[in-house]
Amino acid sequence: MHTTNSTPLDTRPQLQVRRLAMAHPGDLSALAALLDAGALQARDIVAVIGKTEGNGGVNDFTRGYFTQSLMGLLAARLGRPAEALVRELPCVLSGGTEGVLSPHYVVFARSGRPEGAEPATGEAALAIGTAMSAHTPAHEVGRWAQVAAVADAVRAAMRDAGIARAEDVAFVQLKTPCVTSARAQAAAAEGHAVLTADPGRSMAYARAAGAFGTAIALGELPDDAALEPALLRDFEHFSSRASVSCGVEVECNEVIVLGHSRRWQGPLRMGCAPMRDALDIAAVGAALSAVGLRARPQLAAEDASRIAAVFVKCEPDRRGQVRGARHTMLDDTDINAQRHIRGAVGALVAGVLGDPRIFVSGGAEHQGPDGGGLVAVIAHV
């Protein structure tokens, strides 16, 4: 009797990560080309993280422009309203491509969903999960209610990824809403007082709340509402895996969790390391080492080609010094401090990688050590 040996088909989901250039904040031509060629399926896209060339401030409308363009493209391909997609698909954007930073966006697509229990053996692959909280009222921004909502959303995103253990989470990207003048007035009309009516200050509080919520979900901080006064005050409290952006274009907390699970397959892995200050080039090396790469002092071209995406958070040291030397970022009335730090840290990381396509976001309150931040790398191994 003739028999045929066959290998069981691996049905575990796999993550695809595509880093795409943009000619302007509404340019989705690179993504459209991939969809046209069948290299990506619109139905598989679950999240987008991008870097636009705006000012990164409250009035940075490049983020909304890109989001509108993205949802319009996907709506046409999926036959669904853009208004519905924007409530389901996290689109986390950071404005400001100072210095050598290059505008780009990273598309995350997954085939299938993680099913069943995690196998006891086998290598874990990069996994993704997403979640969105309920609408965040203006009077909850920067308060414990937002912290709790973020913690719940991070846990939901972990479940979506099939990641059961917090230690298997490599990186959490969030987008949180802020308080605008109009939102503050609307809250007052309903009898609510906002924490701050200053839009810029509210963005800082929202990022802090996002970091605290992530830290609680990952077991880095206790779930204790008594910690609320520590927001933007006690910077010894932080998450070493949270990257939080904030903007007027969102009204809820959007969460993207990336980690490793044996329920997934594929060649992608991720490394994340906290930066102790703006000159911490060793942290870049640590993140690279976690995915099997080494810079001597810059990555070789063949190694750089293995990198799928890089995400960085940074913060001007509020003590006014970097390694004992005075800096002037906080006192410059011509250039915003966040633009200074994005340009500086972006150049440092790009110099190691030999590639300016890096997501570098300022406003790292409670995201990594005070005056530092974090760096995360996705690579093919």
Side-chain angles (χ1 to χ4, degrees):
M1 179 183 294
H2 176 73
T3 60
T4 301
N5 294 324
S6 62
T7 302
L9 182 65
D10 193 339
T11 59
R12 292 176 298 167
Q14 182 168 333
L15 177 62
Q16 228 187 124
V17 177
R18 298 293 189 117
R19 183 168 49 176
L20 306 174
M22 62 174 82
H24 57 77
D27 176 25
L28 275 296
S29 59
L31 176 56
L34 290 175
L35 295 173
D36 290 340
L40 278 180
Q41 300 297 320
R43 64 178 179 272
D44 294 339
I45 296 173
V46 294
V48 173
I49 301 176
K51 193 69 188 161
T52 61
E53 59 205 79
N55 60 25
V58 177
N59 67 333
D60 183 350
F61 298 108
T62 63
R63 300 179 304 231
Y65 178 24
F66 179 91
T67 301
Q68 183 181 52
S69 302
L70 174 67
M71 299 306 164
L73 172 64
L74 295 180
R77 301 301 177 109
L78 295 170
R80 298 188 58 206
E83 295 78 7
L85 293 176
V86 78
R87 293 192 294 269
E88 300 171 6
L89 194 151
C91 181
V92 179
L93 303 170
S94 171
T97 51
E98 295 79 8
V100 299
L101 295 176
S102 180
H104 70 284
Y105 56 105
V106 179
V107 178
F108 297 86
R110 70 180 184 189
S111 57
R113 298 183 63 83
E115 303 289 348
E118 182 175 287
T121 60
E123 190 172 1
L126 189 61
I128 189 170
T130 65
M132 292 194 178
S133 73
H135 170 77
T136 302
H139 64 275
E140 291 185 358
V141 171
R143 293 193 163 110
W144 200 256
Q146 185 180 21
V147 172
V150 168
D152 287 343
V154 171
R155 296 184 188 106
M158 289 174 61
R159 291 192 296 271
D160 184 52
I163 297 175
R165 298 173 301 187
E167 58 264 34
D168 292 331
V169 173
F171 181 75
V172 181
Q173 179 68 62
L174 298 97
K175 188 74 176 187
T176 59
C178 64
V179 178
T180 62
S181 298
R183 290 175 183 175
Q185 292 172 21
E190 295 175 356
H192 299 294
V194 297
L195 181 60
T196 174
D198 181 309
R201 187 67 172 167
S202 80
M203 291 176 80
Y205 268 112
R207 290 190 296 263
F212 267 49
T214 302
I216 290 169
L218 300 183
E220 296 173 305
L221 283 178
D223 188 356
D224 184 359
L227 287 174
E228 183 173 330
L231 291 166
L232 295 188
R233 291 182 178 87
D234 186 351
F235 292 95
E236 293 300 311
H237 297 302
F238 63 85
S239 172
S240 60
R241 288 171 282 177
S243 171
V244 190
S245 292
C246 184
V248 299
E249 71 275 16
V250 297
E251 296 185 348
C252 71
N253 303 291
E254 303 185 358
V255 177
I256 303 167
V257 164
L258 290 157
H260 298 96
S261 171
R262 293 188 182 94
R263 293 178 179 176
W264 289 68
Q265 62 176 319
L268 292 174
R269 305 292 184 271
M270 190 169 198
C272 183
M275 298 181 70
R276 65 187 179 95
D277 59 31
L279 301 178
D280 192 2
I281 199 169
V284 185
L288 290 170
S289 177
V291 291
L293 296 173
R294 184 179 177 185
R296 302 182 177 91
Q298 189 176 86
L299 279 180
E302 60 269 25
D303 287 337
S305 67
R306 289 169 48 195
I307 292 180
V310 180
F311 308 100
V312 180
K313 286 297 291 190
C314 54
E315 179 79 3
D317 195 308
R318 57 185 45 82
R319 292 159 295 195
Q321 293 189 340
V322 177
R323 301 195 181 184
R326 184 172 72 93
H327 73 74
T328 62
M329 289 183 280
L330 299 173
D331 300 319
D332 191 335
T333 57
D334 296 314
I335 303 174
N336 182 272
Q338 299 297 340
R339 308 202 77 168
H340 271 290
I341 198 67
R342 286 194 297 261
V345 175
L348 180 142
V349 179
V352 176
L353 303 177
D355 193 327
R357 296 172 299 165
I358 305 166
F359 177 95
V360 180
S361 174
E365 303 90 350
H366 305 287
Q367 302 152 67
D370 187 22
L374 57 84
V375 56
V377 177
I378 297 176
H380 297 263
V381 299

